[in-house]
Amino acid sequence: MKDKVAIVKCGSYAPTELYDSIKKAISLSQAIDVRGKTVLLKPNILSGAAPEKAVTTHPEFVKQCILCIKELGAEKIIVGDSPGYQSSSFAGKKSGIMQAVLEAGGEWEDFSDSVEIKNPRGALVKSFNLAPVVQKADIIVSLPKMKTHQLLYYTGAMKNLFGLVPGLQKAAFHLRFQKRALFSKMVADLNLCVKPAFAIMDAVTAMEGPGPGSGDPRHVGLVIASNNILALDITAASIMGYKPEKIPVIAEALNTKEWLENITGFETLGEKIEDVKIPDFKKIKILNDITMFRSRLPSFLYKILRKTVVKKPVINHKKCIKCNNCIEICPIAAMEYFPKESREKIVIDYKKCINCYCCHEVCPDKAIVIK
C-alpha cells in the first residue's frame, strides 16, 4: 500500500478555515495514532521574524496543528526549535509562536541543551547531539514552511529537522560537510536518526526568491500533509516548480531507499499537483556541479572557474546595520570588521569562505545577497 500525501486548499490563516484544512489533510494522509502519546511538533523558526514575512511557520498554523492533534488524543504536545543565532525563547516570543503554543495548551521547550543519540544506520553521521526532548517524545512531527534555500535550493520537512541540533552547534556540520551533497546526506542521516512520523507543511503563504530568510512572501493557499516525510518534500518541491530529483536532500534521501523505492512511489489525495503547481514561482537557480572539472583542469584554472561560477555572499554596506549576526554564525570565521579598531564595515575573506550561506540566512535587513 502506497504512502499518501494530502494537498488541501486553504486561502488564509483564519483560525476556522485553517483548522478545517489541517484536519482534512491529516485525515486524508492516513492520520497517525497519537492517543495517549507525547508528540513533539517542530516548526521552522529561523529567527524571530514577524509572521507576515513568511520566514517562520505561521503562529496560527502551529496553534491549529496543536488543536487538531489534541483532538486525536495526544496526551502531551511539546513544541520548540533552535534558531541558528538567536535563543530559542527569544525567537519563539518574537515570532509569536511561543504564545500560540501556550494558548493552544501545548508546552514550549527550549532547545539549549543537547544529548548524544546514536545513529548506527547513518551513512555519514553515526551519532548526533540533539535537544533532549527528542528522547522524551513518542512521535515527532515536522511543521515546515514552504521556502526556497540558497544552499539546498528548497527547504521543507526533512531539512526542518536540522533545528533539533541546538544553536551554534549547527555550524560544526557546515564546517564538516562543506559540499552540498555531503550536507544533504547528513540531513538524510538526521532523519534516519529521529524517525519523524508525520509532516504538515504551512504552504498558505510561502517564501520565494532568496530564501530561507531574505525572500519574499508568496500566497500559495495550501496545506500539505503526509506520513512519509520524503513524499511530502517531493510534492512541495514539484508544486514550487522544481524537478524534485535535482533537490540535493531529496536525491540523497531517495538513494537510501528508506522512505521510498522511487520518486513516484506514493499517491496524492485532495488537489492534484498539476492543478496547483506555480509556474512563475521564483526559485533558486540550480547550478551544475563543477567538481567534475577538478581532475580535468590544472589547479589554477579550476580555481579561476570556481571563483567565476560559484555563488558567494556579498555585503551591501549601505544596508548593513552591524548587528554581528553574520560574524557570530560563520562556521569558519571568514567575516570580520575592517579595520578592526574602528569597526567601519564587515568584510568577507573569500579564501576562507565555504559558501554555506549561513550569513545570508541570519541577516535581518537583507544586507547580504548571493551573487
Side-chain angles (χ1 to χ4, degrees), residues 52 86 95 104 149 156 162 183 186 213 221 236 305 317 360:
E52 59 271 17
Q86 295 174 335
S95 64
H149 194 278
F162 190 48
F183 191 86
M186 178 277 297
L305 176 65
H317 297 290
H360 173 266

Side-chain angles (χ1 to χ4, degrees), residues 135-193:
Q135 295 182 319
K136 298 179 188 177
D138 300 310
I139 292 175
I140 296 176
V141 179
S142 182
L143 302 183
K145 184 80 165 178
M146 179 185 274
K147 295 196 293 182
T148 51
H149 194 278
Q150 287 287 358
L151 178 63
L152 302 175
Y153 308 123
Y154 155 86
T155 178
M158 298 189 84
K159 172 60 171 64
N160 181 47
L161 295 180
F162 190 48
L164 296 173
V165 177
L168 293 175
Q169 291 186 38
K170 298 181 186 69
F173 286 99
H174 283 286
L175 188 58
R176 184 178 172 188
F177 304 114
Q178 296 180 19
K179 293 182 179 179
R180 187 178 279 111
L182 289 178
F183 191 86
S184 300
K185 192 182 289 289
M186 178 277 297
V187 172
D189 279 355
L190 175 61
N191 279 263
L192 285 174
C193 181

Side-chain angles (χ1 to χ4, degrees), residues 274-285:
E274 55 267 29
D275 292 339
V276 295
K277 188 174 181 178
I278 308 168
D280 62 343
F281 198 92
K282 296 177 183 176
K283 304 182 291 295
I284 304 295
K285 184 179 180 181

Side-chain angles (χ1 to χ4, degrees), residues 95-288:
S95 64
I97 293 176
M98 182 189 289
Q99 182 179 352
V101 170
L102 299 178
E103 288 176 355
E107 297 183 10
W108 179 263
E109 184 83 11
D110 193 347
F111 291 6
S112 54
D113 298 325
S114 65
V115 61
E116 183 180 9
I117 299 178
K118 299 296 183 182
N119 187 38
R121 296 164 63 199
L124 288 178
V125 185
K126 298 299 182 181
S127 68
F128 286 91
N129 290 323
L130 303 175
V133 68
V134 171
Q135 295 182 319
K136 298 179 188 177
D138 300 310
I139 292 175
I140 296 176
V141 179
S142 182
L143 302 183
K145 184 80 165 178
M146 179 185 274
K147 295 196 293 182
T148 51
H149 194 278
Q150 287 287 358
L151 178 63
L152 302 175
Y153 308 123
Y154 155 86
T155 178
M158 298 189 84
K159 172 60 171 64
N160 181 47
L161 295 180
F162 190 48
L164 296 173
V165 177
L168 293 175
Q169 291 186 38
K170 298 181 186 69
F173 286 99
H174 283 286
L175 188 58
R176 184 178 172 188
F177 304 114
Q178 296 180 19
K179 293 182 179 179
R180 187 178 279 111
L182 289 178
F183 191 86
S184 300
K185 192 182 289 289
M186 178 277 297
V187 172
D189 279 355
L190 175 61
N191 279 263
L192 285 174
C193 181
V194 302
K195 303 178 183 68
F198 208 78
I200 313 169
M201 173 175 274
D202 173 7
V204 180
T205 300
M207 176 179 282
E208 64 179 0
S214 298
D216 300 310
R218 174 69 185 262
H219 180 74
V220 175
L222 296 174
V223 172
I224 309 171
S226 181
N227 63 343
N228 187 310
I229 199 163
L230 175 57
L232 184 146
D233 278 345
I234 291 171
T235 301
S238 299
I239 291 171
M240 293 165 73
Y242 283 113
K243 292 181 178 179
E245 66 274 14
K246 297 291 186 180
I247 302 298
V249 170
I250 291 175
E252 295 298 335
L254 282 169
N255 286 340
T256 69
K257 303 293 184 183
E258 292 286 344
W259 292 275
L260 293 169
E261 282 297 316
N262 56 65
I263 204 166
T264 60
F266 63 94
E267 63 177 309
T268 57
L269 299 172
E271 303 299 321
K272 296 179 179 179
I273 293 177
E274 55 267 29
D275 292 339
V276 295
K277 188 174 181 178
I278 308 168
D280 62 343
F281 198 92
K282 296 177 183 176
K283 304 182 291 295
I284 304 295
K285 184 179 180 181
I286 297 178
L287 300 177
N288 292 326

